[in-house]
Amino acid sequence: MEKRGSFGTRLGIILATAGSAVGLGNVWRFPFMTGQNGGASFILVYLLFVLLLGIPGMLSEFIIGRHSQANAARAYGHMAGGKRLWRLVGMLGILTSTVILGFYAVVAGWCLQYLLASLMGSLNGDVAYVHDYFISFSSHPWKPCVWAVLFVLITHFVIVRGVQKGIERASKLLMPLLFVLLVTIVVASCLLPGAIDGIEFLLKPDFTKLNHSTLLEALGQAFFSLSLGTCCLCTYASYFSRDTNLLKSATQIALIDTGIAILAGLMIFPAAFSVGVKPDSGPSLIFITLPNVFQQAFGAMPVVGYVIGILFYALLVFAALTSTISMHEIGTAFFTEELRQPRRRAAWVLTLVCSVIAVFCSLSMGAVDGISLFGLSLMDFCDYITAQVMLPLGAFLTSLFVGWFVDQKLLFDEFTNQGTVSVSFFRAYQFAVRFIVPFCILLIFLHQFGVI
Ligand code: PHE
């Protein structure tokens, strides 16, 4: 059997894990969710969820992964003292991340196409033109499929290089690059005339816009954005070193993730408001509403508009890649260790499965009729079922598991690195995983299914 990988440095740990968290969830999903749910008030609820549920949830996965140093299914089984039933929670996570990788690769593939199109200057035109461009591209029978599969393949080639040479190296390169691009566009966007309205929309809460669906969406978004409930964090933590401070790492990663989501809002809304575009157009925001926003906004300086457009899609591609790498790794680690296959072969299994899901998701966008489930296109169904059912369910079960089933001495030792760090926070964490996290998720679930 191959030697198990591990991250080489503390910076590598933070950048790789933050790379998993920071993705299209921040730059695509967060802005459109915020736009649809009334701006600042949505963000406040979101922040509350990150603090109350997100950080404890991340810690639980870190503890399970680092303690067991194994793939997700084995890690849960090991932590449960060999009780095989708990392996199922790990398997649920692996299934969830595989489905997410399938539909996520489709959106990531669109970003590749838009990067190329902005380089060639072919996104110039009026609103109707950009709208038709998106519709005809996304419902094309093979073009978006090719891009999606290409994206899975790029991910594959990073993964087969291993934990340190593949994942860690890619994250150390892509994350700083992403940050520089983001800040550049934020500055350009906030300097536009009328940008202040967009900033206000993002930062001034209007509580009349809050309702129960906002809560549910904010919860799903918090889980999705922190990569929680998929065992992704558990798998990455299995490559952490024994002296990594888990509380500090979880807090730093949550801060980076949230900071980048808010910066993404500051990149998009000021530019959108400056040209009078409404931010509530939903998932197509960055593909229909935005392509010509930069061109229009920098109308007096077309070169700037052109360059910013390119940087924007390059940023999306980098953000997506660090996340798809993490989703791929969960399944690859599982197949490598459970089927005792070389990493290379295990990675191909996952690449193949995800490519098939991606192709079907892509075709369900209009190319082929009838690829739908429960009245939703396969693409929307995968997004819904993962973000609003599977992720919260994974986090719920994980929380019950560590709060009530795992030996609490072991939990304490792992949380505090054998009593050497963060000791005074242990009780608060224990309270959160025993009561707050399961209770909040349960409440929202009951509400979602109409019980209360
Ligand atoms: N957190 C990633 C994002 O924000 C998505 C993701 C979900 C990654 C689940 C891994 C696992 O885009």
Side-chain angles (χ1 to χ4, degrees):
M1 187 116 132
E2 290 167 67
K3 190 174 163 293
R4 227 175 170 268
S6 65
F7 291 124
T9 59
R10 181 163 157 69
L11 182 68
I13 289 181
I14 297 293
L15 290 184
T17 318
S20 162
V22 173
L24 295 176
N26 305 60
V27 266
W28 164 64
R29 219 168 175 279
F30 181 82
F32 88 70
M33 285 268 158
T34 307
Q36 277 181 329
N37 287 295
S41 41
F42 174 83
I43 299 184
L44 282 180
V45 180
Y46 175 82
L47 290 178
L48 196 72
F49 281 146
V50 169
L51 200 68
L52 284 184
L53 313 180
I55 295 181
M58 289 173 85
L59 278 164
S60 303
E61 288 201 26
F62 281 175
I63 289 174
I64 299 171
R66 195 198 38 193
H67 176 71
S68 315
Q69 315 247 314
N71 71 79
R74 191 177 295 190
Y76 277 74
H78 181 73
M79 194 85 180
K83 293 206 184 64
R84 294 186 68 81
L85 194 63
W86 286 107
R87 282 175 65 95
L88 290 179
V89 181
M91 298 222 189
L92 172 72
I94 295 165
L95 178 70
T96 310
S97 59
T98 309
V99 174
I100 297 183
L101 180 51
F103 80 82
Y104 201 92
V106 177
V107 184
W110 296 347
C111 297
L112 279 179
Q113 159 77 22
Y114 271 62
L115 175 59
L116 191 73
S118 16
L119 269 170
M120 303 201 309
S122 47
L123 289 173
N124 290 341
D126 59 11
V127 179
Y129 167 78
V130 180
H131 178 267
D132 292 347
Y133 183 92
F134 177 72
I135 301 296
S136 68
F137 166 67
S138 62
S139 58
H140 192 277
W142 57 264
K143 274 192 204 157
C145 297
V146 171
W147 286 117
V149 172
L150 180 67
F151 209 93
V152 180
L153 283 175
I154 297 175
T155 309
H156 175 96
F157 288 113
V158 175
I159 286 291
V160 291
R161 298 186 61 100
V163 177
Q164 249 177 57
K165 291 211 183 102
I167 303 177
E168 186 168 344
R169 208 180 267 174
S171 310
K172 279 185 172 161
L173 174 75
L174 294 174
M175 288 302 284
L177 219 56
L178 180 147
F179 188 71
V180 172
L181 292 186
L182 188 60
V183 172
T184 311
I185 309 179
V186 168
V187 172
S189 179
C190 287
L191 289 177
L192 289 169
I196 192 74
D197 294 338
I199 301 176
E200 206 169 87
F201 175 77
L202 200 67
L203 302 179
K204 203 163 131 200
D206 171 3
F207 291 104
T208 58
K209 297 263 173 58
L210 279 189
N211 57 37
H212 43 261
S213 79
T214 320
L215 291 185
L216 198 65
E217 305 232 29
L219 178 80
Q221 175 60 24
F223 285 139
F224 188 85
S225 189
L226 293 174
S227 314
L228 255 184
T230 56
C231 293
C232 172
L233 301 172
C234 169
T235 305
Y236 269 23
S238 73
Y239 307 128
F240 286 9
S241 77
R242 286 266 168 232
D243 55 9
T244 306
N245 182 331
L246 298 186
L247 177 63
K248 194 165 142 202
S249 308
T251 315
Q252 285 172 339
I253 291 158
L255 273 174
I256 296 178
D257 188 61
T258 309
I260 292 206
I262 292 180
L263 279 178
L266 281 174
M267 157 174 84
I268 289 175
F269 293 120
F273 274 75
S274 143
V275 290
V277 159
K278 282 256 175 332
D280 57 359
S281 56
S284 57
L285 180 70
I286 57 174
F287 299 104
I288 293 186
T289 317
L290 287 186
N292 47 8
V293 156
F294 294 120
Q295 252 100 36
Q296 286 177 43
F298 295 97
M301 297 172 284
V303 182
V304 180
Y306 170 78
V307 173
I308 297 274
I310 296 170
L311 297 186
F312 178 69
Y313 289 104
L315 179 144
L316 286 168
V317 168
F318 296 157
L321 186 58
T322 51
S323 295
T324 52
I325 290 172
S326 72
M327 296 169 208
H328 200 298
E329 178 61 24
I330 311 173
T332 301
F334 174 74
F335 287 124
T336 309
E337 290 169 14
E338 298 307 307
L339 303 183
R340 293 176 190 280
Q341 293 297 318
R343 189 174 166 86
R344 203 166 271 281
R345 200 176 299 158
W348 274 118
V349 175
L350 210 84
T351 297
L352 217 72
V353 174
C354 291
S355 300
V356 171
I357 300 178
V359 166
F360 278 99
C361 280
S362 180
L363 292 177
S364 79
M365 291 297 294
V368 177
D369 279 343
I371 309 186
S372 60
L373 280 169
F374 301 103
L376 292 173
S377 70
L378 185 66
M379 179 84 178
D380 290 341
F381 176 78
C382 289
D383 181 44
Y384 172 81
I385 195 82
T386 51
Q388 301 203 2
V389 180
M390 294 166 87
L391 297 185
L393 183 65
F396 176 73
L397 295 172
T398 301
S399 209
L400 289 184
F401 177 55
V402 292
W404 298 98
F405 291 90
V406 167
D407 172 8
Q408 298 296 295
K409 164 83 175 67
L410 191 156
L411 199 67
F412 174 82
D413 284 347
E414 204 57 58
F415 182 93
T416 61
N417 294 356
Q418 319 298 327
T420 56
V421 290
S422 329
V423 175
S424 45
F425 290 99
F426 180 70
R427 288 261 164 253
Y429 162 71
Q430 199 181 27
F431 184 75
V433 288
R434 286 190 154 189
F435 302 103
I436 304 180
V437 179
F439 179 74
C440 290
I441 301 180
L442 191 66
L443 209 67
I444 291 173
F445 263 143
L446 290 180
H447 192 271
Q448 186 181 10
F449 297 114
V451 182
I452 50 170

